[in-house]
Amino acid sequence: MPKLTRRHLLFGAAALAGGALTNLRPLSASADPLVASTALTELSPPDPEFVRLVQRGYNPRFLAQPETLFVPVDTEETVAAVGTAVARGLRIAVRSGGHCVENFVDNASTQAIIDLGRLTTVEFDAEYNAFSVGAGADLGTVYEQLYRGWGVSLPGGSCLGVGMGGHAAGGGFGPLSRAFGSVVDHIYGVEVIVVDADGHASSVLATRDGPNSDLWWAHTGGGGGNFGVVTRYLLRTHDADGSDPTRALPTPPANLLSTQVVLPVVSEEAFVRFVGNFQRFFERNSEPGSRFASFYAQFFASAHLCQLTPRLDADLPNSRALLDEFVAALGEGVWPPPVAVPASQGPFLDVSTQLSAPRGRAPFSGKYKSANLRRAHTDEQLRTLYRYLSDPRFQSLDSGIELFPAGGAINDRSADATAMPTRNSFMKAVFVAAWRNPADEAAHVEWSRNMYRDIYADTGGVPVPNDANAGAYINYPDSDLKDPAWNTSGVPWSTLYYGDHYPRLQEIKAAWDPGNLFRHDLSIELPRT
């Protein structure tokens, strides 16, 4: 029986966040008037800590060469870092967990990185009746502290090293989302460092029902790095009042039932049938309140091996029957049939951690493309996928398609409740191209582009929103969607990621970042005047 490996469970985790900082040099009082009252740490080459933090990004394909790197420990120091960078005229990039798979931070134009790896506090804020979580806290830390402290959790991703900063701002989803919605459904407020038209940096608190609600809304799916620097989130479920911390966020299952299902792929027919069965099962069982609402299965398929790890609430009276029903549907018409490991159960936090991708940098360079599915891929699309994955020139255990069930409670809210517009899909697909030799980059990127274009040939090479697709997901950014050579649909990248919400996001951008200081290849653009 092949063992499920980290790379096959998920496409990876963010780079290690936090950690002890050594050889730090606080800015002197005379270094810059904007930071005279703080002990803000600024690093520069060849300091070994500078080198370590610069290389903290997940995707080894990209590496920035900034002039300086700021390491704030709180909101005040983050304000100082932003103000100092602006005063010096430096192009700013912000890193929380480091999980961005494109070069939005690790870019040749980046002159100053603000590393939020020390903003990791997780506590209950009685003033706002919400959990206060630092933007630099990684998901593994957030899950453990919330569960051990209050018995609650957040429906975020399965990569322990992903930082809250970008994950939450882009939407956020994971194994609990079918039962409890997206992360953005639990954001009550956000603290952001913004810069006004005069270049003055300040801290702003934006909440759902209080001040600056437009800025709050923008951070519920409008993507990271667009409006300012998030320093912390206030988390409280949208329909909770927060008077009881143990009810302010979802209570996860006490125990999880899980298994592993493996299919060594021996033919194109087996691949198409197996992947199609998986997608169609969740297409049929993704309405809000489904009896499979607590059911989740992360899936990875290459040309030679398909494997997944189903999990669900073990304390449901029919949990094993539900699992058996799923395994039977998965193997229908597949020969040779998939193999399921005997199911086992264990405590929620233990099982969740075991089934998550660990902290650390990816062992391979990669190109990532995504799609939100409203219907299962057609057999023709899956045959196209198989043809590319089985190309002997690009054989890799790390390249393939990842499928993440969605729907359920995510779709139980209106599309305009948050900036994340996708409330009508049942699954997210991520197409991964991976290579380890830098000399292979151009060929693998071209292969990835051609595969994606051919899978979505009927809609201009991209998943144009229609009855089968719901665009793409900004937390798996792909700059090719902005390139007319690869997006021939006539539908702009902004619609693929943000739907009808983009004009509103542009207005908020103009109000809070009028100088367009916070930008990257797919950042929200200022409206045309």
Side-chain angles (χ1 to χ4, degrees):
M1 172 68 63
K3 181 180 179 181
L4 285 178
T5 63
R6 166 189 173 278
R7 61 174 174 260
H8 291 143
L9 290 176
L10 290 175
F11 72 76
L16 179 63
L21 298 179
T22 59
N23 301 319
L24 302 184
R25 302 189 308 280
L27 288 172
S28 65
S30 61
D32 194 299
L34 291 171
V35 296
S37 63
T38 78
L40 172 65
T41 296
E42 181 175 6
L43 301 172
S44 59
D47 191 302
E49 194 62 16
F50 173 91
V51 174
R52 184 185 77 83
L53 292 176
V54 164
Q55 297 182 33
R56 202 163 71 80
Y58 173 73
N59 192 347
R61 180 184 173 197
F62 305 112
L63 181 65
Q65 295 182 317
E67 299 173 18
T68 191
L69 190 148
F70 298 103
V71 191
V73 299
D74 57 22
T75 299
E76 180 184 11
E77 289 192 4
T78 310
V79 172
V82 173
T84 300
V86 172
R88 295 179 187 170
L90 300 178
R91 177 75 175 267
I92 300 171
V94 184
R95 175 170 284 151
S96 53
H99 195 257
C100 182
V101 295
E102 281 281 14
N103 63 344
F104 295 171
V105 175
D106 291 307
N107 191 291
S109 66
T110 297
Q111 297 169 304
I113 292 178
I114 300 176
D115 190 293
L116 304 179
R118 300 186 76 182
L119 277 65
T120 59
T121 300
V122 179
E123 61 187 6
F124 189 78
D125 189 325
E127 179 180 358
Y128 295 101
N129 282 343
F131 288 97
S132 176
V133 176
D138 64 36
L139 294 181
T141 298
V142 173
Y143 298 152
E144 182 170 6
Q145 294 198 26
L146 287 177
Y147 190 71
R148 296 196 188 284
W150 297 273
V152 299
S153 193
L154 190 69
S158 292
C159 297
L160 299 179
V162 170
M164 277 292 294
H167 181 70
F173 79 98
L176 294 176
S177 290
R178 287 166 51 79
F180 300 116
S182 293
V183 171
V184 294
D185 297 321
H186 307 275
I187 297 177
Y188 170 72
V190 59
E191 183 180 76
V192 192
I193 312 306
V194 296
V195 179
D196 64 20
D198 296 324
H200 175 71
S202 62
S203 172
V204 172
L205 184 68
T207 62
R208 182 194 309 136
D209 55 3
N212 311 312
S213 59
D214 61 337
L215 189 61
W216 162 81
W217 186 85
H219 285 88
T220 61
N226 281 315
F227 308 97
V229 181
V230 176
T231 49
R232 67 171 176 144
Y233 290 97
L234 294 173
L235 302 178
R236 184 211 301 168
T237 300
H238 66 92
D239 57 358
D241 63 13
S243 58
D244 180 357
T246 65
R247 297 178 180 271
L249 288 174
T251 301
N255 299 285
L256 291 176
L257 179 68
S258 65
T259 185
Q260 299 176 1
V261 181
V262 179
L263 177 74
V265 177
V266 298
S267 68
E268 178 180 319
E269 292 304 318
F271 178 92
V272 171
R273 187 64 183 238
F274 189 68
V275 178
N277 284 349
F278 179 83
Q279 292 187 359
R280 288 187 290 270
F281 177 88
F282 283 101
E283 183 182 4
R284 294 193 304 268
N285 294 286
S286 285
E287 68 278 7
S290 163
R291 61 197 179 97
F292 285 94
S294 79
F295 199 96
Y296 184 80
Q298 50 201 43
F299 182 107
F300 180 86
S302 69
H304 301 295
L305 188 70
C306 297
Q307 42 193 343
L308 59 149
T309 55
R311 68 184 83 170
L312 74 159
D313 184 349
D315 297 325
L316 292 175
N318 59 340
S319 60
R320 289 188 178 268
L322 291 174
L323 183 59
D324 290 343
E325 182 179 341
F326 168 75
V327 172
L330 194 62
E332 183 178 351
V334 178
W335 187 261
V339 177
V341 173
S344 62
Q345 71 178 61
F348 164 76
L349 191 61
D350 292 347
V351 175
S352 296
T353 301
Q354 292 166 7
L355 296 181
S356 295
R359 299 169 174 89
R361 205 174 194 215
F364 53 80
S365 296
K367 176 64 178 175
Y368 305 83
K369 293 175 173 292
S370 71
N372 295 314
L373 308 186
R374 297 191 66 193
R375 289 185 182 174
H377 284 123
T378 65
D379 285 357
E380 181 181 358
Q381 288 177 304
L382 294 178
R383 291 185 192 283
T384 299
L385 173 62
Y386 179 83
R387 185 176 75 248
Y388 275 93
L389 293 180
S390 59
D391 186 331
R393 297 171 297 172
F394 301 96
Q395 292 297 295
S396 169
L397 293 175
D398 304 305
S399 296
I401 184 173
E402 305 233 35
L403 298 171
F404 303 97
I410 297 175
N411 295 353
D412 203 23
R413 300 194 71 201
S414 65
D416 60 357
T418 63
M420 185 198 74
T422 310
R423 302 284 183 177
N424 59 357
S425 71
F426 74 92
M427 183 168 287
K428 297 185 185 299
V430 181
F431 304 88
V432 184
W435 61 93
R436 298 182 185 239
N437 183 349
D440 294 336
E441 177 174 330
H444 279 76
V445 170
E446 186 79 1
W447 171 81
S448 171
R449 289 168 168 169
N450 288 331
M451 174 174 64
Y452 192 73
R453 177 201 60 199
D454 288 354
I455 290 171
Y456 294 103
D458 291 344
T459 51
V462 296
V464 171
N466 57 18
D467 61 347
N469 310 309
Y473 179 43
I474 193 60
N475 276 2
Y476 301 124
D478 174 17
S479 298
D480 291 342
L481 298 190
K482 199 174 185 178
D483 186 344
W486 297 105
N487 176 4
T488 61
S489 69
V491 176
W493 68 271
S494 53
T495 299
L496 295 173
Y497 285 120
Y498 299 116
D500 296 335
H501 293 171
Y502 190 63
R504 182 179 177 186
L505 290 169
Q506 287 184 289
E507 293 176 2
I508 298 170
K509 173 79 168 179
W512 291 99
D513 183 24
N516 197 28
L517 294 172
F518 301 100
R519 64 189 188 274
H520 49 71
D521 285 351
L522 290 178
S523 57
I524 305 296
E525 299 163 327
L526 292 173
R528 295 179 180 178
T529 56

